[in-house]
Amino acid sequence: MLEVDFSLKSMELQNTVKEALNALYHHPDDAIRAQADQWLQEFQRTIDAWQVADNLLHDATSNLETLIFCSQTLRSKVQRDFEELPSEAFRPLRDSLNTLLKKFHKGPPKVRTQISIAVAALAVHVPANDWGDGGIVKWLGDEMNSRPECVPGFLELLTVLPEEVFNYKISARPERRKQFEKELIAQMEVALSILTACLNIAELKEPVLEAFASWLRLRHGLPGSFLASHPLVLTALSSLNSELLSEAAVNVVSELIHYSTSGNSVGIPVHMPLIQVIVPQVMSLKEQLRDPSKDEEDVKAIARLFSDMGDSYIEFIATGSDESILIVHALLEVASHSEYDIASMTFNFWHNLQAKMIRRDSYVSFGSESSIEAERNRRLHIFRPAYESLVSLVSFRVQYPQDYQDLSRDDLKDFKQTRYAVADVLVDAASVLGGDAVLKILYVKLMEAVINCGNVDQIDGRPAEAALFCICAISNYVSVAESEVMPQVMAMLPKLPQQPQLLQTVCLTIGAYSKWLDTASSELSLLPSLIDILMSGMGKCEDSAAAAALAFRHICDDCRKKLCSCLDGLFHIYHRAVSGEGLFKLLAEDSLHLVEALCMVITELPPDDAKKALEALCLPVVAPLQEVINLGPETLEKKPARELTVHIDRVAYIFRYLNHPEAVADAVHRLWPIFKAIFDIRAWDMRTMESLCRACKYAVRTSKRFMGITIGSMLEEIQVLYQLHHQPCFLYLSSEVIKIFGSDPSCSVYLKNLIEVLFKQTVCLLTSIKEFTARPDIADDCFLLASRCIRYCPQLFIPSEVFQLLVDCSLTGITVQHREASNSILTFLSDIFDLAKLDKAEQYLTLRDCVIIPRGACITRILIASLTGALPSSRLETVTYALLALARAYGVHALEWAKTCVSLIPLTAVTEVERARFLQVISEAASGADVNSLMLPIEEMSDVCRRNRNVQEIVQGSLRPLELNMVHAVSQ
């Protein structure tokens, strides 16, 4: 046992743990169970947990629940809290764990596994020399020799040992983790020798093969020539047909396949002897794919090996050699399997193979352009039959099942995922064969679906829908000049029955081929009947209505010039959709496609015609808003937001997609009284304000300088209302205004007043991290606006007093946990540090430095605190960029700030070597080194400081980012 005094406290804690576990598993009261669970979790974090867990594991009276909990506790303590123990505790801890391994060598399995992982985690923490000559593997071999009856238990340890290389729950330093991997690779031959010796025990063959697979995942250490004749490899290959060992054998062979391509093209020649042994053995299993007597799981395992070969040997297969074609045929066999889960294992291979054939960099070794083109054509010709077969093999899988209506939500989701995956495969085939060739194959299937039913009116829509879905999937690869198949497809669409799912896919197909319709010689005769189909789709059901609206948008986008002469008919459809009088089943968000569609056609009109059309477009959308306003302020205030935003969102789309800036500006000016009324009465309502600000944003973006006097009224409105209601959307609308008008001298008075009012108000709102957490949207939009000001109107922003106020405010909020808000603050600071990159920025650098340099130490400390734990590791890249940008901008100053900051962190958390390595990175950044090259050392510093909870608390406690105040910062 661990050599720690066994005290009365320890005995009391052991009893309390037993009582808590008994309550957790057996007490009838949920509250008591929850209380026990909470106590046990807190106990596991204490230093006493080491001794108590160890004692109870050695205690012969402990029940299974206690053993499982204590083994999990000890495993967790070794992984995360090993540094709690004094250095001399290693040997007694190792010996205790070894004793436990022997004690539980026959089980319980859960306990033995946890103890094995604990020993492996200990090996990650402790250098190989501490285990004796040869490290843990040699130590383990000696233990197995001395206690042969315990070999099964030690085998599990040998299995988990290499897995712990990739276990980042273990709080080891990055350097130690890398060293551990090197130690295991160096000991790989010893490990395989131990496993080979165990092969002589028949009942151990399966765990031996599983352990071998685990060691192969290290992907380094032994050449293929050594492994090709190794007894472990030969045993695995010969066991592929074994009923008892096939699963373990497949795992090994799968890892061997991946191992044999480690190092990519460099690794293949080295491992070719191994590949030459593997491939024939796997190929000999091909016939079993069709064997009806084989269990589905066995077939799946065999299919996995073929898929692994395809994915791993893609470079070799893509050459089109006779041997590679055999593998391709085997993969086609897998793709033809009736079970989708098996067939889909090959999908990644078909994608990678087409990429290899299409990409030019696959042929650079062939030299001249003519040689490259000849080789590319040769390969495309060789693989053409395989991809033609593939189209037929996968296309049927998208057909709706008979019981589609009865599918559960999860099954329906899986079916839709299947359709998307098959669509991707068809695209891969079209990349190789050409879209026109794939279209011909799919058209045959469409015709079969129609002809097989005899009477088109009585057709089962499912096969036709499946064929059309596939035709739709490859639309981007079909030539717009295709004249053999597409006219027949389009002519057939009006004749198909209007069953909901079929009609939905018909509509999607019309939209997908809108570019073809624009160039087809018969487009004028086709379009009216196709638009009639879309109108039917809008009236059938919500799904078909959504598809029809989307298709309508595509047609109006791609055929816009031809449709200008049909504007009256298009307006008729539009009015029916937005007024609700047409009995269309369109949801409000789908109706936006029709708004966008009309905008695209109107954009093609001459300015005067466009202006009139825009008035007609706005009329049915604005009229309901005007009616509400006419009923008085009280009615407007009480209206549900949805009844307003449905119309405002349509106005927003008009302003966004109708590309006639002057006409849009004129419309905004005419509509401003309506907008102002809504602003004035509904400023308290976030949903309405977001919708209205979005409309105004698009108006500004489209109209730009044509906005004229309306922009002044708009700015006055939002700055007054922001002070009263603090809506974040007023800030993002201001961001768009700054982007368009920031450099316009005639707007400087307006804009200077705007940003000072908005920023001063925001700074008053965000006075603590608590306020940032409560108002993350305001923080996000505020600092996005501030970044816009740096880029588009530094002449107004940086000399202003709000610049300093915002810098101070940003330091308060950097560590807010809200992702977007934190990123916006960090980006704002990075933009300040990168100010020199802007044109004519020299004049602002002195003003910037007067604000930043007095706060430099504080900024540096908060940024270092953020990358070492104050912010989630997912934010690391953004924090690192800000820190390195600060170093680039302030050179020696930044290095001194960093030194002072890092010196605050105790050596128990970060060693001198680790400090020096980190400061070297800051120094290199200050000297202008490429940021990308410095990311890894920063990540390692972050890992060191986050390696466990205690260390993270020590680091944050020393840096105290939330306790910093500006008085202290300025005095530094």
Side-chain angles (χ1 to χ4, degrees), residues 4 237 578 640 913:
V4 181
L237 291 171
V578 299
V913 172

Side-chain angles (χ1 to χ4, degrees), residues 363-381:
Y363 303 95
V364 289
S365 61
F366 288 88
S368 68
E369 286 297 326
S370 59
S371 298
I372 287 174
E373 189 62 22
E375 177 61 19
R376 185 172 180 273
N377 288 335
R378 183 188 74 84
R379 295 186 185 185
L380 289 171
H381 177 73

Side-chain angles (χ1 to χ4, degrees), residues 639-794:
K639 272 284 180 184
R642 180 66 176 164
E643 292 185 23
L644 299 173
T645 58
V646 67
H647 306 297
I648 297 171
D649 288 345
R650 288 167 180 166
V651 174
Y653 262 56
I654 293 171
F655 293 164
R656 181 179 184 181
Y657 291 106
L658 203 150
N659 190 16
H660 273 285
E662 201 165 355
V664 170
D666 181 63
V668 176
H669 182 64
R670 284 186 291 104
L671 296 175
W672 177 246
I674 294 176
F675 290 177
K676 187 177 188 308
I678 299 172
F679 269 128
D680 288 341
I681 304 300
R682 301 281 299 202
W684 54 268
D685 174 18
M686 180 178 287
R687 284 185 62 188
T688 303
M689 287 302 98
E690 285 180 345
S691 180
L692 189 54
C693 284
R694 193 180 305 116
C696 292
K697 179 184 75 171
Y698 290 132
V700 171
R701 186 178 294 177
T702 299
S703 301
K704 298 184 170 64
R705 306 299 168 86
F706 289 106
M707 284 286 285
I709 60 172
T710 314
I711 192 69
S713 302
M714 191 182 292
L715 296 182
E716 288 176 7
E717 187 76 13
I718 61 175
Q719 68 190 41
V720 170
L721 293 176
Y722 182 70
Q723 295 175 79
L724 297 173
H725 299 285
H726 312 137
Q727 298 287 9
C729 55
F730 296 152
L731 297 170
Y732 82 63
L733 172 55
S734 302
S735 288
E736 194 65 34
V737 173
I738 291 294
K739 181 179 178 181
I740 302 298
F741 296 97
S743 59
D744 187 341
S746 67
C747 299
S748 60
V749 175
Y750 272 122
L751 296 183
K752 188 173 187 300
N753 188 50
L754 174 73
I755 62 178
E756 288 189 353
V757 168
L758 296 180
F759 286 140
K760 283 180 180 177
Q761 184 66 36
T762 304
V763 166
C764 291
L765 296 174
L766 302 175
T767 56
S768 66
I769 195 69
K770 184 177 179 181
E771 289 297 335
F772 274 88
T773 303
R775 305 172 184 263
D777 293 337
I778 285 183
D780 181 22
D781 288 318
C782 167
F783 286 99
L784 285 174
L785 173 59
S787 283
R788 282 272 171 94
C789 289
I790 291 172
R791 296 186 194 114
Y792 295 102
C793 58

Side-chain angles (χ1 to χ4, degrees), residues 427-443:
V427 165
D428 292 331
S431 299
V432 175
L433 303 173
D436 294 8
V438 176
L439 177 65
K440 289 178 180 177
I441 299 172
L442 296 174
Y443 178 65

